[in-house]
Amino acid sequence: MSVGKQFAKYVSQNILGMLGISFYILADTFFISLAEGANGITALNLVLPLYSLIFAIGAMMGVGSAIRFKILRAKKDESADTYFSNAVVFALVFGAVFMILGGLFPEQIVKVLGGDEEIIRVGAPYTRIFMLFAPCFMWNHICNTFVRNDGAPSVAMAATLFSSLFNVVMDYVLMFPLGLGMAGAALATAISPIVGIMICCIHFFSGKSTIRFRLAVPSVKKLMQSCQLGVSAFVGEISSGVTTIVFNMLILGLAGNVGVAAYGVVANTSLVAVSVFNGVSQGSQPLISEYYGKGERNAVRKLLSMGILTSLTLAIGMIIAVYFLAGGIVAIFNSEQDATLAAYGIAGMKLYFSGFLFAGINIVGTGFLSAVESARMAFVASILRGFVAIILCAILLAWLFGMTGVWLAFPAAELITVIVTGVALRKAV
């Protein structure tokens, strides 16, 4: 199969899988808006960074370990067998921390994230339940990434899509017929990764799998080696959480809970766009790592070119679609027909989404840098994008232009980062 056909197969299937993840987040938002109104969306948006952190740790260990696995497999190095089990064990260790905090202090967590008494009442049950299942979220990401890197992108896609479909169906069943409200939404979200893991097991127990689970003393050294290559995946996931925290705090001061609810609509909708670009990045990563491990640099350059061209095409399509459909999208989640929420949401969505013209290049570019073991530059670009630039731009532009400045912070930060990413890519290829 040609490089182009391989790229189309892996990327298209991974985009579908990542869209499944964003779809159930949108379904959560929609059902919660029906059950709890603007307060429910505000509570969800305040605790969403915690979910981003859990998912980011799983992504860092999963993607990084799977890259090591793929490169070492291409070099026929037997140590490749140890990276899967090492990641699984450490996911339990890190996940246990979230389980303890979420089980004991959900009210305090929501309060620290900016919730008042009403938001704490709505958000604490949701926070407790999904944090108790933290290891499952991490294991799901690890299993999915290894299955994809082991040459089974169709199984990885099926695992993501079916777990997302399960979440959406159970969201409705638990929240409305059974009347569990926010707790029902959290329970549906918490159980869905178990479905994904079970589907991944189809590949693990097949004759095609080269992944081995080996009982051994966990290796911190191998974990660190993996995390170096998974840092761009970590920052790619956690950046949405960091952005959400900073924006929530700024918007609470500028527009109160209704402003945060509007941002919740924009942020959760933008996850669809992020998932598409993550699909391009993570879908091409196994191919880039394999050809890099074999020393076939021309194929590596071709994959990078196809990745960037694909991201630009998709970004332009999204920006045009949002410009014409912003009002309808916001209305779906505005069950109380709040005019203020609608005004903030429509204006914010149009400005915010312009940033994906640059964000797509950054996501694909940092994924490429990790896949070719350019860990330092991947780290620099990822940290700039996910933390430094977005925080500085948000604070400065909000001070200068109020809510308009908040919406413009994302495109401004991505524009700054794309310059650094471009320089790093030129050196890497």
Side-chain angles (χ1 to χ4, degrees), residues 36 122 125-127 129-130 171 174-175 179-190:
E36 301 286 351
V122 174
Y126 189 94
T127 304
I129 292 171
F130 86 78
D171 255 344
L174 293 173
M175 291 186 72
L180 296 180
M182 288 284 283
L187 194 58
T189 299

Side-chain angles (χ1 to χ4, degrees), residues 102-148:
L104 297 177
F105 310 109
E107 293 86 2
Q108 292 87 337
I109 290 172
V110 177
K111 184 176 181 179
V112 168
L113 292 172
D116 56 24
E117 290 185 7
E118 183 60 24
I119 301 303
I120 291 172
R121 181 191 66 80
V122 174
Y126 189 94
T127 304
R128 173 182 283 114
I129 292 171
F130 86 78
M131 289 185 71
L132 287 173
F133 283 78
C136 296
F137 290 111
M138 295 182 190
W139 285 330
N140 185 40
H141 205 299
I142 291 167
C143 291
N144 197 280
T145 308
F146 268 86
V147 167
R148 184 175 62 246

Side-chain angles (χ1 to χ4, degrees), residues 247 251 259-260 262-264 266-267 343-355 397-398 402-412:
F247 281 32
I251 292 172
V260 173
Y263 174 60
V266 175
Y344 282 138
I346 293 170
M349 193 168 292
K350 291 179 179 180
L351 293 173
Y352 193 94
F353 265 73
S354 65
L397 293 177
M403 284 294 291
T404 300
V406 173
W407 303 129
L408 288 173
F410 174 69

Side-chain angles (χ1 to χ4, degrees), residues 54-73:
I54 293 169
F55 205 80
I57 294 173
M60 179 171 61
M61 291 189 291
V63 172
S65 298
I67 289 174
R68 290 288 182 194
F69 165 81
K70 191 69 174 180
I71 292 174
L72 293 173
R73 268 281 181 267

Side-chain angles (χ1 to χ4, degrees), residues 43 150 347:
D150 199 35

Side-chain angles (χ1 to χ4, degrees), residues 52 87 126 137 146-147 216 230 240 244 270 280 299 314 367 396 413:
S52 296
Y126 189 94
F137 290 111
F146 268 86
V147 167
S240 63
T244 301
S270 74
V280 177
L314 291 169
L396 177 61

